[in-house]
Amino acid sequence: MLQVLACGVVVFPGLFFIFRKVLPSIFKQWTDADVVLVSERLVSSIHAIMATTAGVVVVSACSGNVMTDRYWLATYFVIWYGVPYMTYDIYAMYLSHYYRFRVKGHEEYKEHSLTTVNSFVRREFLLVLHHIALLTILLPVTLFFRRDQGDYFIGCLFLTELSTPFVSLGKILIQLGLQDCWVHKANGGMVLLSFFLCRIALFPYMYWVYGRHYGIPIYGVPFHLTLSVNLGNLCILAPQVYWFVLLCRKGWRLYQRQRRATAAAGNQDSSPLPPPSPSLTDNQPKGDH
């Protein structure tokens, strides 16, 4: 019974429901779209912290022999939390999309329909595809095709979630109107750093670790692995590279905007004061102090 209650099928939708009930009582000015967005981000951060912690534990436990060392959490976290979360998150993202457009007054968003679902899939196609790919690739690989090998690399994949709390925090700070504070700027740097290290550089690192285990150079690892493994890694890595480029572009635009604003403020401060208005000086009696 405790296992069922602790399962992600209960935990993540339950947390989402609780946040949706609690947040409106704290932030009374928030719309339904605001509440759903922040609730989704909070649950995403909780899952990310759980996944990162599980990844650290698995990687530490299996660092002796990266191919044959086993740790139970590598499989059970995927079953009990990974799959339920990915399934729940598709629904939560849809709700966030739905309420965002409903608040804007779109007529077709007065109620749920195939039109709203189709619009969500089209607008968030890459995110939906990413979630489905994890469900259809990571789950079968974890459960059926590993032949009880590679728990270390499953733990590494858990570590890709390290950047999620920083991404979520950035959106929550914007929601709270704190996008100009130093915390948001520092968090933006952490987003880029953690995203690059744990979602992009992690894949060459795993190839390097694999090659070191078998005594082959990193450039020979793709030829040592099966085509399905290389394609699976590519399917996971490709959207990460795309999102990282988008993050870099957004960061650069924000930097340029802030730089122009700072320069404009500096020019305004250094400009000479305007001459006194004649209406205020000429009408004053001479010698009147």
Side-chain angles (χ1 to χ4, degrees):
M1 182 63 181
L2 291 177
Q3 283 185 326
V4 173
L5 292 176
C7 177
V9 174
V10 177
V11 170
F12 300 124
L15 288 172
F16 185 67
F17 175 80
I18 291 172
F19 287 135
R20 287 188 66 185
K21 293 297 181 182
V22 172
L23 288 175
S25 63
I26 301 174
F27 303 98
K28 300 183 184 300
Q29 75 279 12
W30 282 7
T31 64
D32 289 338
D34 299 331
V35 171
V36 171
L37 172 66
V38 175
S39 299
E40 177 202 350
R41 289 298 170 180
L42 289 173
V43 176
S44 295
S45 298
I46 292 172
H47 167 264
I49 293 171
M50 294 171 62
T52 303
T53 303
V56 171
V57 171
V58 173
V59 168
S60 300
C62 301
S63 57
N65 188 312
V66 297
M67 291 304 299
T68 60
D69 282 356
R70 302 300 312 279
Y71 195 78
W72 62 271
L73 200 56
T75 299
Y76 280 92
F77 186 85
V78 173
I79 298 173
W80 287 93
Y81 295 102
V83 173
Y85 171 76
M86 289 298 168
T87 306
Y88 142 82
D89 198 43
I90 293 176
Y91 174 69
M93 288 191 302
Y94 164 72
L95 283 184
S96 181
H97 165 87
Y98 173 80
Y99 282 107
R100 183 169 73 251
F101 283 90
R102 183 178 180 179
V103 166
K104 292 179 180 178
H106 290 257
E107 290 294 327
E108 63 271 23
Y109 283 85
K110 289 185 176 180
E111 60 182 14
H112 299 284
S113 65
L114 289 177
T115 301
T116 61
V117 173
N118 182 53
S119 175
F120 161 69
V121 172
R122 284 189 289 106
R123 289 178 178 273
E124 305 293 344
F125 177 76
L126 194 57
L127 271 174
V128 174
L129 180 64
H130 169 69
H131 281 59
I132 293 176
L134 291 179
L135 287 170
T136 56
I137 296 175
L138 184 60
L139 175 62
V141 168
T142 302
L143 298 181
F144 307 116
F145 300 119
R146 290 194 297 125
R147 294 174 303 202
D148 295 332
Q149 292 183 328
D151 281 10
Y152 178 90
F153 298 104
I154 298 298
C156 286
L157 290 176
F158 291 165
L159 295 178
T160 59
E161 290 293 331
L162 178 63
S163 63
T164 300
F166 299 108
V167 175
S168 297
L169 178 59
K171 292 185 176 293
I172 293 173
L173 288 173
I174 292 174
Q175 186 62 46
L176 294 173
L178 299 175
Q179 62 268 27
D180 294 325
C181 71
W182 68 269
V183 176
H184 184 263
K185 298 174 184 177
N187 182 73
M190 289 303 301
V191 168
L192 294 177
L193 179 63
S194 60
F195 201 100
F196 176 77
L197 291 178
C198 296
R199 294 197 175 220
I200 297 178
L202 180 67
F203 286 86
Y205 168 76
M206 289 193 293
Y207 274 59
W208 174 77
V209 170
Y210 182 92
R212 186 182 64 173
H213 177 79
Y214 285 104
I216 57 178
I218 187 172
Y219 58 80
V221 171
F223 304 101
H224 197 264
L225 296 170
T226 62
L227 178 62
S228 59
V229 172
N230 287 312
L231 288 177
N233 285 326
L234 183 61
C235 288
I236 298 175
L237 176 61
Q240 314 302 328
V241 174
Y242 172 74
W243 288 324
F244 182 71
V245 171
L246 292 183
L247 286 172
C248 289
R249 287 180 177 177
K250 182 178 180 181
W252 177 250
R253 288 197 301 269
L254 291 175
Y255 170 76
Q256 291 289 86
R257 186 184 308 166
Q258 182 180 5
R259 187 178 179 182
R260 287 194 296 267
T262 303
N267 291 335
Q268 184 175 2
D269 293 340
S270 61
S271 60
L273 293 175
S277 172
S279 62
L280 295 178
T281 58
D282 295 347
N283 294 335
Q284 282 188 340
K286 295 179 180 179
D288 186 5
H289 300 290

